[in-house]
């Protein structure tokens, strides 16, 4: 997989995203979400294109992309696993679960397995604080996740 | 053979979708609702009977066949009994959450049947200024954390001259231990939309935004579905309920930044910018989104408005204690036997919430500490369990009610690690605008690490205290300004963990 998406598709994706949000106010975030939805990440080549379309400076767009944790400039693995590291999950073993995940995948927080299958991320609260430890696999929330269950979830996702 | 299975993401996180599918296959007519808030009973299946809804839970997918064979589908199999009669339900005063867990959140007719439009109808029949007065008289204070009187804020926006005004709902809910906003948006989104519409009518706004954190994809989907349905019903649009008043709502999704829950940072983000905090003044009520007068309110503040308008300000104000009027939606999380959401009048004690509702810890070990009010809230020992849930009483004890989240820890917790995490979180989530927050938090982590490693403990504790003072005094917003609260309270109440 190449890190940089070819310019042609990037242009089209950006055009579609900008078009879809024409008429909405201050739409840079929704547009970036739309780009990331299609490409899996926001390649650096998007920044000048988007800046041109929206009449913003490259620095402004770059500043926004880098400010928010959600926007990635490199492709993620095929499935992203987010382990909650916030207080309520820590009270029931969230940190140990994160350590288990890192050890069993052989990656550090934020890393992707060498086969490109799984990205391991941290998250601060998933709104499942009564049923922690909480984990999100893709868009799907899981509660009361034990290390064994996490291994199974990752196995299914692979 | 109508059965109700929550579609709430917490219920789904422990298997509600699988249970719903198996029940449908067994021939039941399955309605997906929000959750009643008894999350330790999820997946909680409710069966309609002549006497009311009979509950079964927690129901694992592998339990379904047996329960159906035992007569679950006509409510005769042994279970929890009538859900409304469960002690956890009976002990509450559910106003804001009255329909959550009861109605189908995607069905506007169900919402209306359960009285969901009464507040909006009442408001539209009043003078806008009288709506503002009603909200003021109800004593409602912002549920997002700061507890500012909602009616006073609305009056400022109403009195501002502008062609264009906005209502922005803060649904960033980044605090660990809080999930009531999420559960309301997933379980009864029309009530939020109705509350926003009443706010807009009261202040003369035409456009509304709900800023939802990206960690809540199910809430985003539920809101989007509800908005389309509400437009179809004429509850939103050119003429709300045929009144001639025009208002529409849009959903915006955050991008993983805790600071975007701070209202001015949220406005920056809504404008498509980095979420850096704006200095105040100007206040958003006068110069908010794109410089126009803007109501910024938390989900629960706005969702409490319909019940206030429907039943009257006096009824709401009759509940509560001191200057904390009405009900608060409390959230019990962390190491807790019976975790979830419950709504009751202000004034209930912290201990009642943790012990009576929550049943103590999940691990069965003694409770050692609770954090109230999210990551910027204080850690309290069990000795303070008689504290009443009341903004002023908490402030007087150096703590805060915040968004009503209570996180429980048992006696295995190392409070110096929690203090370290408070600093780590601040370092991670700082918007970077002021030095005491941006740099102070990083220094705070390093200092606590040294204390934990036993290096020069006394000197480093003094250094940490100085850092806390600097952050408290020198930060522009409560991110840097309140991070010392969990740190200092951990040292004060659990000093042995730092020795
Ligand atoms: C760091 C920080 C994070 C905040 N996060 C939230 C949040 O997630 N949701 C919220 O409603 N208010 C949050 N607030 C409070 C808002 O700034 C603001 O007071 C609130 O949205 C006003 O609405 P209310 O009066 O209805 O509470 C936060 C404040 C700070 C300083
Ligand atoms: S205190 Fe922290 S988060 Fe708040 S404005 Fe300053 S740097 Fe930003
Ligand atoms: S703290 Fe982990 S889900 Fe809220």
């Amino acid at each position: 997989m190449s890190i940089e998406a070819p310019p042609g598709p990037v242009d089209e994706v950006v055009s579609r995203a900008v078009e879809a949000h024409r008429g909405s106010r201050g739409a840079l975030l929704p547009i970036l979400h739309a780009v990331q939805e299609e490409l899996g990440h926001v390649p650096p080549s998007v920044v000048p294109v988007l800046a041109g379309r929206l009449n913003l400076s490259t620095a402004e767009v770059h500043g926004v992309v880098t400010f928010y944790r959600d926007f990635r400039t490199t492709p993620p693995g095929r499935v992203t696993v987010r382990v909650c590291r916030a207080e309520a999950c820590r009270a029931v073993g969230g940190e140990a679960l994160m350590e288990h995940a890192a050890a069993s995948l052989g990656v550090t927080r934020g890393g992707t397995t060498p086969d490109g299958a799984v990205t391991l991320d941290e998250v601060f609260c998933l709104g499942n604080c009564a049923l922690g430890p909480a984990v999100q696999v893709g868009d799907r929330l899981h509660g009361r996740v034990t290390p064994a269950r996490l291994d199974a979830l990752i196995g299914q996702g692979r | 053979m109508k059965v109700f299975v929550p579609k709430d993401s917490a219920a789904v996180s422990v298997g509600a979708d699988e249970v719903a599918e198996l029940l449908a296959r067994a021939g039941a007519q399955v309605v997906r609702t929000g959750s009643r808030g008894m999350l330790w009973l999820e997946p909680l299946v409710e069966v309609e009977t002549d006497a009311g809804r009979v509950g079964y839970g927690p129901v694992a997918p592998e339990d379904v066949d047996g329960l159906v064979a035992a007569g679950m589908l006509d409510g005769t199999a042994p279970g929890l009994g009538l859900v409304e009669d469960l002690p956890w339900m009976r002990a509450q005063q559910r106003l804001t959450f009255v329909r959550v867990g009861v109605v189908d959140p995607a069905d506007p007719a169900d919402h209306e049947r359960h009285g969901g439009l009464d507040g909006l109808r009442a408001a539209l029949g009043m003078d806008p200024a009288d709506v503002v007065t009603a909200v003021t008289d109800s004593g409602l204070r912002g549920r997002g954390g700061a507890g500012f009187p909602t009616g006073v804020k609305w009056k400022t926006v109403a009195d501002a001259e502008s062609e264009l005004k906005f209502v922005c709902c803060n649904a960033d809910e980044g605090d660990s231990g809080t999930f009531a906003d999420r559960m309301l948006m997933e379980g009864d989104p029309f009530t939020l939309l109705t509350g926003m519409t009443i706010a807009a009518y009261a202040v003369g706004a035409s456009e509304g935004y709900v800023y939802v954190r990206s960690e809540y994809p199910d809430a985003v989907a539920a809101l989007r579905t509800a908005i389309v349905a509400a437009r179809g019903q004429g509850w939103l649009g050119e003429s709300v309920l045929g009144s001639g008043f025009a208002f529409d709502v849009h959903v915006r999704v955050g991008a993983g930044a805790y600071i975007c829950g701070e209202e001015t940072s949220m406005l920056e983000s809504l404008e498509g910018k980095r979420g850096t905090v704006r200095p105040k003044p100007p206040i958003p009520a006068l110069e908010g989104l794109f410089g126009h007068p803007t109501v910024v309110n938390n989900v629960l503040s706005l969702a409490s408005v319909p019940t206030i308008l429907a039943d009257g300000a006096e009824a709401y104000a009759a509940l509560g204690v001191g200057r904390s009027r009405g009900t608060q939606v409390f959230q019990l999380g962390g190491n807790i036997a019976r975790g979830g959401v419950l709504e009751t009048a202000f004034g209930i004690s912290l201990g009642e919430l943790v012990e009576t509702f929550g049943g103590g810890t999940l691990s069965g070990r003694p409770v050692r500490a609770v954090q109230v009010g999210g990551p910027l809230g204080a850690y309290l020992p069990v000795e303070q369990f008689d504290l009443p849930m009341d903004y002023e009483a908490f402030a007087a004890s150096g703590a805060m009610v915040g968004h009503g989240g209570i996180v429980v820890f048992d006696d295995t917790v190392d409070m110096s690690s929690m203090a370290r995490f408070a600093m780590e979180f601040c370092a991670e989530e700082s918007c970077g605008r002021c030095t005491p927050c941006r740099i102070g938090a990083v220094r705070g982590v390093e200092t606590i690490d040294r204390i934990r490693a036993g290096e020069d403990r006394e000197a480093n504790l003094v250094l940490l205290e100085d850092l806390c003072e600097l952050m408290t005094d020198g930060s522009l917003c409560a991110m840097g300004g309140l991070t010392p609260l969990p740190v200092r309270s951990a040292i004060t109440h659990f000093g042995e963990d730092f020795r």
Side-chain angles (χ1 to χ4, degrees):
Chain A
M1 198 193 295
S2 76
I3 298 287
E4 199 46 40
V10 165
D11 236 45
E12 278 167 38
V13 169
V14 170
S15 297
R16 260 199 307 277
V18 170
E19 200 47 50
H21 293 91
R22 189 172 295 281
S24 39
R25 301 178 197 269
L28 183 53
L29 260 73
I31 290 171
L32 287 171
H33 274 305
V35 168
Q36 178 145 309
E37 176 85 29
E38 276 208 44
L39 299 175
H41 68 301
V42 180
S45 58
V46 162
V47 172
V49 182
L50 206 46
R53 291 295 154 79
L54 298 178
N55 242 338
L56 298 167
S57 73
T58 320
E60 279 172 287
V61 178
H62 176 78
V64 169
V65 173
T66 51
F67 182 85
Y68 296 96
R69 182 183 292 120
D70 281 2
F71 301 128
R72 345 180 9 116
T73 49
T74 56
R78 286 188 289 286
V79 59
T80 297
V81 176
R82 293 190 180 84
V83 179
C84 177
R85 288 192 63 224
E87 288 88 345
C89 287
R90 295 172 93 91
V92 286
E95 276 302 90
L97 188 66
M98 180 52 122
E99 278 162 30
H100 169 84
S104 73
L105 288 169
V107 296
T108 50
R109 267 186 265 147
T112 301
T113 54
D115 61 356
V118 184
T119 295
L120 177 65
D121 253 339
E122 65 182 357
V123 63
F124 297 110
C125 194
L126 291 162
N128 202 18
C129 326
L131 295 174
V135 171
Q136 201 179 32
V137 180
D139 255 3
R140 175 84 194 250
L141 181 62
H142 300 274
R144 292 272 186 260
V145 181
T146 58
R149 177 117 184 281
L150 183 62
D151 291 343
L153 289 172
I154 293 173
Q156 287 162 20
R158 269 194 133 129
Chain B
M1 288 226 297
K2 203 179 202 179
V3 304
F4 303 86
V5 183
K7 202 174 175 326
D8 180 274
S9 52
V12 170
S13 85
V14 289
D17 279 354
E18 291 78 357
V19 169
E21 199 182 307
L22 290 169
L23 285 167
R25 250 188 260 159
Q29 183 199 339
V30 178
V31 178
R32 302 303 296 272
T33 59
S35 165
R36 296 271 194 167
M38 298 176 283
L39 293 178
W40 79 97
L41 290 179
E42 296 293 356
L44 170 63
V45 176
E46 300 183 21
V47 180
E48 192 170 71
T49 72
D50 290 339
R53 294 188 190 174
V54 171
Y56 296 89
V59 178
E62 53 273 23
D63 302 336
V64 171
D65 282 349
L67 281 166
V68 170
M72 176 207 220
L73 294 186
D74 52 21
T76 53
L80 301 166
L82 291 174
V83 173
E84 304 274 357
D85 284 348
L86 291 172
W88 169 287
M89 292 299 295
R90 291 181 66 99
Q92 297 186 48
Q93 284 148 312
R94 286 169 81 102
L95 302 177
T96 309
F97 262 60
V98 66
R99 284 174 295 272
V100 176
V102 177
V103 296
D104 173 352
D107 181 1
D110 207 13
H111 181 75
E112 188 166 7
R113 222 173 11 251
H114 285 83
L117 290 187
D118 298 356
L120 179 57
R121 289 217 170 91
L124 292 174
M126 292 160 68
D127 192 65
D130 294 337
V131 176
V132 175
T133 306
V135 172
T136 308
D137 291 347
S138 75
L140 177 68
R141 291 166 69 177
R143 302 288 187 245
F148 188 82
T150 304
V152 175
K153 186 182 286 186
W154 288 18
K155 177 135 193 3
T156 309
V157 179
D159 289 345
E161 290 289 337
S162 176
E163 291 280 287
L164 186 60
K165 297 180 187 177
F166 297 103
V167 172
C168 293
C169 172
N170 190 339
D172 200 49
E173 198 170 62
D175 289 359
S176 165
T178 66
F179 40 93
D181 294 352
R182 177 186 65 66
M183 290 186 65
L184 186 109
M185 290 187 284
E186 291 183 14
D188 189 14
F190 292 115
T191 290
L192 174 59
L193 298 179
T194 306
M196 291 179 72
T197 308
I198 295 172
Y201 176 73
V203 305
S206 53
E207 235 176 276
Y209 290 88
V210 190
Y211 186 88
V212 193
R213 66 201 296 251
S214 63
E215 290 83 351
Y216 285 179
D218 297 338
V220 170
L223 274 174
R224 289 200 164 128
T225 303
I227 287 171
V228 171
R231 287 177 187 149
Q233 299 287 319
W235 301 354
L236 289 175
E238 285 308 311
S239 175
V240 172
L241 289 176
S243 64
F245 166 67
F247 181 64
D248 201 8
V249 175
H250 309 275
V251 176
R252 284 291 173 85
V253 181
Y258 176 77
I259 195 57
C260 289
E262 195 282 333
E263 57 185 1
T264 62
S265 164
M266 180 189 81
L267 294 173
E268 290 286 299
S269 190
L270 279 170
E271 293 181 8
K273 302 179 192 150
R274 300 161 58 103
T276 35
V277 172
R278 298 178 185 167
K280 284 188 258 190
I283 55 169
L286 294 175
E287 286 178 45
L289 189 62
F290 299 105
H292 295 279
T294 303
V295 169
V296 179
N297 272 135
N298 173 254
V299 174
L300 298 181
S301 315
L302 290 163
S304 298
V305 167
T307 175
I308 291 170
L309 270 295
D311 297 332
E314 302 76 37
Y316 195 78
L319 299 168
V321 288
R323 293 207 291 120
S324 306
R325 309 312 311 176
T327 58
Q328 167 73 299
V329 181
F330 297 104
Q331 300 123 85
L332 301 177
N335 195 331
I336 185 123
R338 297 194 290 265
V341 151
L342 64 113
E343 181 176 359
T344 186
F346 280 101
I348 186 172
S349 75
L350 179 56
E352 263 177 279
L353 288 170
V354 174
E355 305 285 2
T356 313
F357 276 98
T361 63
L362 177 70
S363 62
R365 303 183 64 94
V367 175
R368 179 146 184 255
V370 296
Q371 185 178 31
V372 185
L376 308 175
Y379 284 103
L380 299 171
V382 279
E383 287 73 39
Q384 298 209 14
F385 267 16
D386 54 356
L387 257 186
M389 300 306 297
D390 163 36
Y391 293 109
E392 278 67 39
F394 263 65
S397 292
M400 69 170 187
V401 174
H403 189 48
I406 297 169
V407 176
V408 178
F409 297 81
D410 73 10
D411 62 351
T412 60
V413 67
D414 172 359
M415 292 306 296
S416 69
S417 82
M418 298 315 298
R420 181 192 194 276
F421 178 70
M423 286 291 189
E424 182 190 349
F425 184 70
C426 182
E428 183 80 29
E429 299 295 335
S430 168
C431 84
R433 189 167 182 133
C434 28
T435 322
C437 170
R438 192 182 69 236
I439 309 290
V442 177
R443 293 282 170 273
V445 172
E446 295 164 1
T447 311
I448 297 175
D449 277 343
R450 281 197 286 273
I451 295 168
R452 282 163 58 84
E455 280 173 42
D456 238 341
R457 280 206 173 118
E458 291 313 317
N460 277 309
L461 276 167
V462 173
L463 183 62
L464 183 59
E465 174 53 31
D466 287 349
L467 261 173
C468 283
E469 199 175 309
L470 183 74
M471 288 173 74
T472 306
D473 296 343
S475 298
L476 181 61
C477 85
M479 177 86 228
L482 288 181
T483 291
L485 201 55
V487 176
R488 280 169 153 162
S489 59
I491 298 171
T492 307
H493 300 301
F494 309 95
E496 60 276 22
D497 290 12
F498 296 80
R499 308 263 151 224

